């Protein structure tokens, strides 16, 4: 029995050594799991051409150059995205900065920190069911049925901020509808709900092409510079993985530089795989519209003036219990280093 057992152990040892040698060979040939790349799970609040620099960073290989293997998931809606981040389902969230303030307001031992800004204006447009007759006057919205966004979300707050700027009380002067889920708003408008709607791209341009609506104003232009969509993570992750966060910021910065110097056609080519069901000409037009109004941030730094404007918008919407200090929820060190070191 002992001889047989000894022989089996020897055979098992040979088999194991063979497997290990095979694994080593695969790793040496670059066929291992991403060549030892660090995996980073990203949750994006929605799939949108508005986030073009993120898709550029993936498809142009900028994350890969930094030794990162990114896994992108669309976690529809700010609440769901933040819940997924807090529960450990993702490592990095791409979502509006207001969500980090909401977490702060509720009290947290592990705050969510903004570290790389992707967009710097609101990304929605005012779409009318009827074509514009002459010069647009915001007061024509009074008395209309307005299909809005989720209460407390950045699109809705930026929309209300703009309306109030023109003397319109969205809750008194409009029939404001906010009972439609974020993902179903375009469908609701297309089916006949509302005289006006606040839409992201590419839905706004698609509706124009289809004759279902007409873009008549930009909430991004009207509400000013904001840290609208930012990459953020928990402080604990940042403390444990500072090199990973820095590499992430580097990849984002390189993508931002690439977007700055590329044409809408080149950008569309780089991101089309993320929008397989969207006509390429629509993608080009949307990118052009966002570039012209300066929606894509040129670097990841969340500056204090934009942070304060964000809180002004939140205050106007009645969603801010107490102003959050810029330095407590923003860590610009990674974006600043990326800006100073990353070249096109």
């Amino acid at each position: 029995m002992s001889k047989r057992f000894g022989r089996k152990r020897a055979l098992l040892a040979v088999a194991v050594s063979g497997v290990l040698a095979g694994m080593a060979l695969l790793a040496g040939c670059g066929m291992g799991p991403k060549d030892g790349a660090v995996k980073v799970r990203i949750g994006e609040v929605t799939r949108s051409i508005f986030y073009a620099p993120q898709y550029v960073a993936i498809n142009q290989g900028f994350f890969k150059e930094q030794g990162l293997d990114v896994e992108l998931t669309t976690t529809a809606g700010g609440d769901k995205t933040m819940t997924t981040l807090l529960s450990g389902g993702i490592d990095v969230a791409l979502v509006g900065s207001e969500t980090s303030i909401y977490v702060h307001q509720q009290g947290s031992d592990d705050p969510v920190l903004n570290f790389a800004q992707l967009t710097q204006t609101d990304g929605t447009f005012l779409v009318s069911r009827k074509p514009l007759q002459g010069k647009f006057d915001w007061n024509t919205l009074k008395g209309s049925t307005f299909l809005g966004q989720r209460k407390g979300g950045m699109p809705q707050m930026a929309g209300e901020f703009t309306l109030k700027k023109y003397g319109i009380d969205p809750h008194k002067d409009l029939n404001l509808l906010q009972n439609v889920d974020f993902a179903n708003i375009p469908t609701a408008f297309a089916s006949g709900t509302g005289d006006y709607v606040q839409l992201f791209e590419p839905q706004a341009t698609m509706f124009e092409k289809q004759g279902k609506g007409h873009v008549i104003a930009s909430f991004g232009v009207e509400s000013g510079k904001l840290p609208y969509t930012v990459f953020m993570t928990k402080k604990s992750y940042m403390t444990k993985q500072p090199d990973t966060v820095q590499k992430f910021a580097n990849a984002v910065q390189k993508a931002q530089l690439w977007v700055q110097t590329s044409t809408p056609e080149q950008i569309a080519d780089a991101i089309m795989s993320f929008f397989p069901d969207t006509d390429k000409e629509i993608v080009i037009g949307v990118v052009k519209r966002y570039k012209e109004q300066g929606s894509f941030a040129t670097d990841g730094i969340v500056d204090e003036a934009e942070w304060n404007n964000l809180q002004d918008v939140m205050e106007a919407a009645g969603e801010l219990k107490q102003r959050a200090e810029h330095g407590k929820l923003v860590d610009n060190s990674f974006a600043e280093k990326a800006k100073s070191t990353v070249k096109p």
Side-chain angles (χ1 to χ4, degrees):
M1 285 286 289
S2 65
K3 284 185 179 179
R4 267 203 314 252
F5 183 66
R7 192 162 62 191
K8 284 182 180 178
R9 278 205 310 182
L11 288 170
L12 181 60
V14 170
V16 170
S17 64
V19 171
L20 291 175
M23 289 173 66
L25 181 61
L26 286 173
C29 292
M31 296 174 65
K34 300 292 184 180
D35 297 322
V38 177
K39 186 171 184 178
V40 180
R41 300 165 301 164
I42 308 172
E44 60 174 3
V45 65
T46 188
R47 176 61 49 86
S48 176
I49 299 168
F50 193 40
Y51 308 148
Q54 173 186 235
Y55 310 128
V56 165
I58 294 171
N59 279 353
Q60 294 297 106
F62 299 151
F63 283 119
K64 188 176 180 181
E65 285 176 3
Q66 292 291 325
L68 302 181
D69 169 23
V70 299
E71 176 185 285
L72 180 63
T73 304
T74 303
T75 44
D79 291 350
K80 185 177 178 182
T81 302
M82 186 53 65
T83 299
T84 308
L85 178 66
L86 294 175
S87 65
I90 54 176
D91 305 307
V92 173
L94 177 63
V95 66
S97 283
E98 80 282 357
T99 56
S100 66
I101 295 177
Y102 291 147
V103 171
H104 176 68
Q105 287 182 160
Q106 293 166 6
S108 174
D109 295 330
D110 192 4
V112 174
L113 303 180
N114 300 263
F115 70 89
Q117 181 170 323
L118 195 75
T119 63
Q120 59 186 9
T121 73
D122 179 270
T124 61
F125 296 86
L126 178 63
V127 177
S128 170
R129 190 169 298 284
K130 298 178 181 178
L132 184 63
Q133 300 295 327
K135 186 179 179 182
F136 174 61
D137 182 351
W138 285 88
N139 285 302
T140 59
L141 270 65
K142 288 183 177 180
S144 68
T145 298
F146 189 100
L147 185 52
Q149 297 277 336
R150 179 182 61 85
K151 184 181 184 299
M154 205 59 230
Q156 180 63 29
M157 291 191 292
E160 292 190 14
F161 183 81
T162 299
L163 292 170
K164 289 175 182 177
K165 185 172 78 170
Y166 287 100
I168 301 170
D169 186 325
H171 298 280
K172 292 181 179 179
D173 298 330
L174 307 175
N175 176 23
L176 180 63
L177 304 180
Q178 292 181 278
N179 59 348
V180 180
D181 290 339
F182 175 80
N184 296 327
I185 290 173
T187 304
F189 185 75
S191 65
T193 302
D195 303 308
Y196 298 91
V197 65
Q198 186 177 354
L199 288 180
F200 276 99
E201 292 284 18
Q203 286 88 359
T205 295
M206 288 171 68
F207 278 12
E208 281 192 314
K209 297 281 186 183
Q210 297 163 1
K212 295 178 180 178
H214 307 270
V215 176
I216 56 176
S218 165
F219 287 105
V221 170
E222 296 292 344
S223 57
K225 292 287 183 69
L226 300 163
Y228 197 82
T229 326
V230 182
F231 288 109
M232 57 188 75
T233 189
K234 291 188 289 187
K235 185 177 182 180
S236 58
Y237 183 86
M238 190 175 283
T239 301
K240 292 174 185 174
Q241 303 267 18
D243 290 344
T244 300
V245 176
Q246 185 61 65
K247 290 174 180 178
F248 193 102
N250 292 347
V252 171
Q253 178 66 70
K254 189 163 184 178
Q256 290 172 322
L257 293 172
W258 191 93
V259 167
Q260 280 184 66
T261 57
S262 299
T263 65
E265 290 78 10
Q266 290 170 325
I267 296 168
D269 284 337
I271 69 173
M272 278 306 300
S273 65
F274 288 94
F275 304 94
D277 299 323
T278 305
D279 183 82
K280 186 176 177 181
E281 289 305 310
I282 289 179
V283 176
I284 292 171
V286 171
V287 169
K288 185 173 184 290
R289 181 173 273 166
Y290 279 137
K291 280 195 69 148
E292 286 177 347
Q293 70 178 34
S295 289
F296 303 132
T298 55
D299 58 60
I301 297 170
V302 180
D303 68 50
E304 195 162 0
E306 290 180 0
W307 183 257
N308 289 334
N309 190 32
L310 168 75
Q311 296 190 90
D312 290 343
V313 170
M314 293 178 71
E315 270 186 338
E319 298 291 344
L320 189 66
K321 294 178 182 176
Q322 185 177 4
R323 293 184 78 90
E325 187 180 333
H326 176 264
K328 282 190 176 181
L329 298 184
V330 175
D331 188 335
N332 278 328
S333 62
F334 301 98
E336 287 169 349
K337 184 175 181 180
K339 184 178 181 180
S340 65
T341 58
V342 174
K343 305 301 177 188

